[in-house]
Amino acid sequence: MSGNANTQFELRGFNHVALVSSDMQRTVDFYSGILGMPLLKTLDLPDDLGQHFFFDAGNGNSLAFFWFPDAPDGVPGISAPVEKPGFGEWTSAIGSLNHVAFDVPPEKFQEYRAKLKAAGVRVGPIVNHDDSASQVAAEMHDGVYVRSFYFQDPDGVLLEFACWMRAFNADDLGTTPRTAADRRQPAAVTG
């Protein structure tokens, strides 16, 4: 997407991203059954610690899930977003996984959204991400850099189907990184 090359390490994408499932069978049903991601590797962890399954996410990348029999429940709004963008609160805690975005071909974007809806998956609206003040365009235009829509897996993991719409250039790098000192402090609790 850009002409910038990593001069430190030859990274070739993600080997895998690992999440935690509450029900491995339900996870397999969703990721393999609905999203069509083939299982690559399944294993029981030693000492009855749980399971670890890997799904093919395309282009040599995989999405993995752990299942731990004693895992605590996730906390919406902390361990993962409560909802999809456009439907409610979608922030999550520092160190949490906010969402996983799968790259899909632009020419299949509408078809894939319809397929998910037909499978009973609640999908968010189409979002045309651009550089406007709202960062969302109602209609497609040359400045839209990615189109996407969001949905959730059975455990509430926020997922996104996204397709790049243009190449990035030096003009796309104008934002100064914020620091921990820039964080808003929560209001004091009185009582």
Side-chain angles (χ1 to χ4, degrees):
M1 280 306 305
S2 74
N4 298 336
N6 185 335
T7 59
Q8 302 298 317
F9 300 96
E10 184 185 341
L11 301 180
R12 301 179 299 178
F14 291 98
N15 181 282
H16 66 277
V17 172
L19 302 165
V20 178
S21 166
S22 68
D23 182 321
M24 192 62 87
Q25 182 60 60
R26 187 175 67 173
T27 296
V28 170
D29 293 345
F30 181 81
Y31 285 91
S32 288
I34 292 177
L35 297 186
M37 296 170 63
L39 274 168
L40 295 172
K41 175 75 175 164
T42 64
L43 53 108
D44 287 313
L45 298 173
D47 302 321
D48 203 29
L49 291 174
Q51 296 184 314
H52 196 28
F53 283 33
F54 294 81
F55 297 85
D56 185 346
N59 292 326
N61 302 302
S62 61
L63 188 63
F65 284 88
F66 284 105
W67 175 83
F68 300 117
D70 300 321
D73 289 339
V75 181
I78 296 175
S79 53
V82 174
E83 257 294 357
K84 295 166 276 311
F87 282 97
E89 184 60 45
W90 55 280
T91 59
S92 58
I94 293 169
S96 68
L97 179 120
N98 186 272
H99 69 278
V100 175
F102 296 102
D103 187 39
V104 298
E107 64 276 7
K108 302 270 187 172
F109 181 75
Q110 297 276 14
E111 173 190 339
Y112 289 176
R113 187 169 184 271
K115 283 175 75 169
L116 286 175
K117 287 175 85 170
V121 176
R122 183 171 173 242
V123 300
I126 293 173
V127 181
N128 298 309
H129 303 267
D130 70 358
D131 291 323
S132 66
S134 69
Q135 298 184 355
V136 175
E139 302 291 329
M140 276 297 299
H141 61 82
D142 289 343
V144 171
Y145 58 91
V146 68
R147 293 189 89 196
S148 71
F149 63 85
Y150 299 86
F151 56 102
Q152 287 169 302
D153 85 351
D155 280 316
V157 173
L158 185 59
L159 304 172
E160 177 182 20
F161 274 6
C163 53
W164 296 117
M165 301 307 294
R166 66 171 177 82
F168 293 118
N169 59 51
D171 294 337
D172 291 302
L173 299 175
T175 304
T176 302
R178 304 288 291 269
T179 70
D182 297 318
R183 292 183 59 211
R184 290 191 270 278
Q185 297 303 311
V189 177
T190 59

